[in-house]
Amino acid sequence: EQVTREYVPPRTPTEELLAGIWADLLKRERVGIHENFFELGGHSLLATQVMTRVRTVCGVEVPLRRLFEASTVALLATAVEATRQDSSGGASPPLLPIPREGPVPLSFAQERLWFLWKLDPEGSIYNVPIALQVTGTLNVVALEESFRELARRHEVLRTTFSEIHDHPRQVISPEPLFSFIQLDLRNVSCENRELQFRDLAQEEAQQPFNLEDGPLLRVNVVQLDAQNYRLLVTMHHIVSDGWSMNLIVEELVRLYEAYLEDKEAQLPTLPIQYVDYAQWQRQWLMGDVLEKQLSYWKHQLDDIPILSLPTDHPRPDMQTYNGATYVLKLPRDLTERLKTLSQREGVTLFMTLLSALKVLLKFETKQTDIVVGTDVANRNRLEVEQLIGFFVNQLVLRTKIDGDLTFRDLLDRIRVVTLEAQTHQDLPFEMLVATLNAQRDVRYRPLFQVKLVLQNISRPSFDLAGIDISPVEIVKTTAELDLLFNLEETTDGLYGLIEYNTDLFNASSIVRLAEQLTVIWETVATNSEITVKALEQLLTDAETRHRKRIQQQLNKANAKKLKIVRRKVVSPSTQ
């Protein structure tokens, strides 16, 4: 691996933990994953301290000599993960290409989405849309050819699905398979163009896919004026995930530039395709490997509770997917203080945010056994890092919390639970559901009803000569869960969306939850020794103030209405 001084942020929880340990001991604000420990000022004594903390924080015993052999965060993280996998019996065989003759199976995750689509072919809950604003001189022909080359490069983008002898199979088209539509809004009045685009984007995001006929990639180029375009790219989750969407943008930029310059794009060679991964996953995840993974999760999730959140409306007899979103922002100062706390306590920022959320959920539900889900990229093999496809997996994080526990102690519990779950992340969520939730309550989403995601995938580069590209927010009207806290770190602090089921919650309740979560974050950022019980009292006080503020607003509104009515009664113009 090439050692560099250029800062590259951590990509995994293990890398984030190690980077935090290094930054703390080396007295640096941050450490990139490819920076050399000894070039940064590390020495033998500090190396010993590093490995002592690794043992405590990561829960594995790694020899001191490994730091001298693996002197970057990325290399040491690989060594830590290998040690952890060896201890869990998770060593896996090489991932190699398979013959393309005959039908090829779906991955476990794809298989679940296939069956869900068969139950609801008109649903759009698993659509993955992105929207981009493009300003400048756009060559639409070059853009279409770039998508065509992208589909040639990634088999999954020209894949459909069918049943052969009652078993779902992947069907790979030899030619690119996607729709490319141009829409011109220049004849629409200026004041209505943006509004019409929003309607188009909303309609496109909700348009269902046909997994049997395809295509599963749709592209819409919307022109608003001579130098102003919107690009809508929508895929079905069965062929894509969040990591994939970033890859798509990155590769499109390079393909587009290469087309304009009439040269071949310099993209990394793909040693395998998604179908190779699907076959490998099914061959590897069986026998002792499968049993060890299942054994951990069966023990961890034995008698798992349903999180009984107080709702504004009665829960429907069947789970619904009607949703809305609320923007949640944390200022840079508070974000930095939470990062400092995380570094000091030997946890990741995600673990700190999760601990705070679990305190809030305990307060809301009055339960002490709190279950929250999260996403994991599940790209822990070099061969799949550059592949577009459905790799993301979901982990179930369960923690028992009592009131006398300090927040610092809770951080320790969350760290252990999260790292253990990461170690056993290879078991597909759908297999876990089938094993543990045979008689599940259909009113609830299986295994967890609340999810926290902290995006740690760096944003793709939008650098293109003569063109400015920026993301456009699409208003989401679906919700897979009761609550989803989807956060990412920006230069201005933490930013994210709270996605919620509108059949359960009013918008005012989500505002209240966001305010309470901020109270917890503000408090623990300066006092990690505070008890959970004390935090709950702070939330009670905050809720009292919130209700008082709402009542005052209602009183003012009612007084204003009464004043208007009185004026109408006495006004001569009304007689």
Side-chain angles (χ1 to χ4, degrees):
E1 178 177 327
Q2 184 179 3
V3 176
T4 176
R5 292 184 181 275
E6 180 184 350
Y7 176 73
V8 178
R11 302 161 297 184
T12 67
T14 301
E15 287 183 350
E16 191 175 347
L17 288 172
L18 293 178
I21 291 171
W22 287 26
D24 189 37
L25 290 175
L26 295 169
K27 309 302 181 190
R28 289 179 167 267
E29 183 180 343
R30 65 183 190 180
V31 174
I33 62 172
H34 299 310
E35 294 181 87
N36 187 289
F37 176 77
F38 299 101
E39 290 180 5
L40 294 174
H43 48 71
S44 296
L45 180 58
L46 283 177
T48 302
Q49 290 179 277
V50 166
M51 302 317 283
T52 299
R53 294 193 183 191
V54 167
R55 184 188 311 115
T56 302
V57 170
C58 298
V60 295
E61 187 75 43
V62 181
L64 178 61
R65 61 177 173 77
R66 291 297 286 133
L67 179 55
F68 290 85
E69 300 165 353
S71 55
T72 68
V73 166
L75 290 173
L76 187 58
T78 300
V80 168
E81 291 296 338
T83 304
R84 190 179 283 138
Q85 289 290 343
D86 287 344
S87 64
S88 66
S92 56
L95 208 171
L96 301 171
I98 62 170
R100 292 298 189 269
E101 295 83 20
V104 289
L106 284 63
S107 68
F108 291 111
Q110 284 183 321
E111 189 171 71
R112 175 171 175 262
L113 290 195
W114 164 260
F115 286 125
L116 289 174
W117 176 77
K118 293 284 282 185
L119 292 172
D120 182 22
E122 296 303 313
S124 62
I125 187 68
Y126 293 109
N127 285 12
V128 183
I130 61 170
L132 300 172
Q133 176 173 309
V134 181
T135 306
T137 305
L138 178 66
N139 187 321
V140 179
V141 173
L143 182 64
E144 183 173 7
E145 284 303 312
S146 299
F147 271 102
R148 195 177 307 281
E149 187 57 37
L150 190 73
R152 289 194 188 100
R153 176 173 161 79
H154 294 273
E155 287 182 351
V156 74
L157 295 184
R158 41 191 166 90
T159 296
T160 53
F161 302 85
S162 66
E163 281 188 343
I164 301 175
H165 305 303
D166 296 326
H167 293 287
R169 297 297 184 204
Q170 298 194 54
V171 180
I172 303 169
S173 169
E175 294 300 321
L177 185 64
F178 66 99
S179 70
F180 190 93
I181 298 173
Q182 293 179 246
L183 300 168
D184 194 338
L185 299 184
R186 285 177 293 180
N187 293 328
V188 178
S189 62
C190 293
E191 59 271 18
N192 288 330
R193 285 178 197 169
E194 194 65 39
L195 186 62
Q196 190 160 333
F197 163 72
R198 295 282 174 181
D199 290 341
L200 281 169
Q202 199 69 47
E203 182 181 340
E204 166 58 23
Q206 296 174 6
Q207 181 70 24
F209 283 96
N210 186 317
L211 300 192
E212 291 180 317
D213 298 335
L216 303 185
L217 165 63
R218 298 194 300 253
V219 182
N220 286 268
V221 181
V222 185
Q223 185 169 9
L224 276 67
D225 58 46
Q227 298 277 303
N228 191 357
Y229 297 81
R230 298 289 189 276
L231 181 62
L232 300 173
V233 181
T234 313
M235 307 175 70
H236 195 280
H237 204 351
I238 202 168
V239 297
S240 182
D241 56 19
W243 183 302
S244 298
M245 298 307 269
N246 279 357
L247 281 176
I248 287 171
V249 175
E250 287 177 354
E251 294 197 0
L252 276 175
V253 166
R254 294 169 72 175
L255 288 166
Y256 181 88
E257 285 182 324
Y259 184 90
L260 292 183
E261 297 172 8
D262 195 23
K263 65 180 185 181
E264 188 174 341
Q266 299 300 307
L267 292 171
T269 303
L270 300 177
I272 62 165
Q273 292 285 337
Y274 188 84
V275 291
D276 303 314
Y277 164 78
Q279 180 73 10
W280 169 87
Q281 183 192 44
R282 289 185 173 274
Q283 290 178 339
W284 171 58
L285 207 53
M286 56 194 303
D288 290 343
V289 173
L290 177 59
E291 188 50 46
K292 285 177 180 177
Q293 292 270 337
L294 278 174
S295 178
Y296 166 79
W297 287 110
K298 284 178 181 177
H299 173 75
Q300 180 67 13
L301 303 181
D302 181 46
D303 198 23
I304 187 171
I306 287 176
L307 202 61
S308 299
L309 288 162
T311 60
D312 298 308
H313 309 286
R315 187 175 290 272
D317 293 335
M318 291 281 291
Q319 184 190 3
T320 61
Y321 301 102
N322 300 311
T325 54
Y326 172 78
V327 175
L328 178 64
K329 294 180 181 178
L330 268 73
R332 181 176 176 80
D333 173 65
L334 177 54
T335 302
E336 290 302 321
R337 285 189 286 134
L338 289 171
K339 289 170 67 177
T340 300
L341 165 67
S342 305
Q343 192 179 102
R344 186 174 67 243
E345 299 299 337
V347 297
T348 65
L349 178 60
F350 169 80
M351 295 172 189
T352 298
L353 298 174
L354 176 62
S355 298
L357 177 59
K358 290 209 171 193
V359 171
L360 175 60
L361 294 175
K362 177 183 183 300
F363 173 75
E364 288 290 318
T365 63
K366 312 307 177 190
Q367 296 172 239
T368 57
D369 194 352
I370 307 298
V371 180
V372 173
T374 192
D375 288 342
V376 59
N378 201 29
R379 293 177 184 253
N380 46 14
R381 298 188 63 96
L382 188 62
E383 300 96 324
V384 303
E385 283 191 2
Q386 297 300 318
L387 277 185
I388 294 169
F390 184 17
F391 293 93
V392 66
N393 198 13
Q394 299 178 96
L395 301 182
V396 189
L397 306 175
R398 181 183 189 182
T399 316
K400 294 186 178 179
I401 311 174
D402 60 75
D404 294 329
L405 202 66
T406 67
F407 191 77
R408 188 178 194 179
D409 293 334
L410 178 57
L411 287 174
D412 288 338
R413 288 191 184 184
I414 295 289
R415 179 180 60 214
V416 172
V417 167
T418 304
L419 289 177
E420 284 183 352
Q422 288 278 342
T423 302
H424 298 86
Q425 67 174 275
D426 293 305
L427 186 73
F429 179 75
E430 32 288 322
M431 191 176 289
L432 194 57
V433 171
T435 303
L436 299 179
N437 267 57
Q439 302 297 323
R440 77 178 186 91
D441 189 332
V442 295
R443 297 174 301 164
Y444 295 87
R445 204 262 195 187
L447 299 187
F448 59 82
Q449 293 77 52
V450 177
K451 181 191 281 188
L452 171 66
V453 177
L454 178 61
Q455 302 288 352
N456 57 4
I457 306 172
S458 58
R459 288 278 187 178
S461 171
F462 292 129
D463 294 335
L464 257 180
I467 289 181
D468 180 59
I469 305 175
S470 59
V472 176
E473 202 75 60
I474 299 176
V475 178
K476 198 170 182 188
T477 59
T478 58
E480 189 184 353
L481 299 148
D482 290 3
L483 291 171
L484 165 62
F485 296 80
N486 197 345
L487 306 174
E488 67 174 305
E489 192 178 344
T490 70
T491 54
D492 297 323
L494 279 172
Y495 169 86
L497 298 173
I498 303 177
E499 181 183 297
Y500 61 97
N501 187 307
T502 51
D503 291 331
L504 300 177
F505 302 103
N506 295 330
S508 58
S509 294
I510 306 305
V511 174
R512 180 180 60 82
L513 288 176
E515 290 176 350
Q516 290 179 319
L517 196 51
T518 304
V519 168
I520 300 175
W521 284 332
E522 287 276 8
T523 304
V524 301
T526 55
N527 180 15
S528 61
E529 293 294 341
I530 189 171
T531 64
V532 171
K533 188 182 297 182
L535 283 169
E536 289 183 293
Q537 184 58 52
L538 287 175
L539 294 180
T540 299
D541 297 341
E543 191 167 280
T544 301
R545 290 194 299 271
H546 176 84
R547 287 175 178 170
K548 186 176 180 180
R549 187 165 62 251
I550 294 298
Q551 190 59 52
Q552 288 173 342
Q553 291 172 352
L554 286 172
N555 291 342
K556 284 182 180 179
N558 289 334
K560 189 175 181 180
K561 287 179 182 177
L562 185 60
K563 195 173 181 180
I564 292 172
V565 169
R566 284 175 176 169
R567 281 179 180 171
K568 285 184 177 181
V569 169
V570 301
S571 173
S573 62
T574 62
Q575 297 176 7

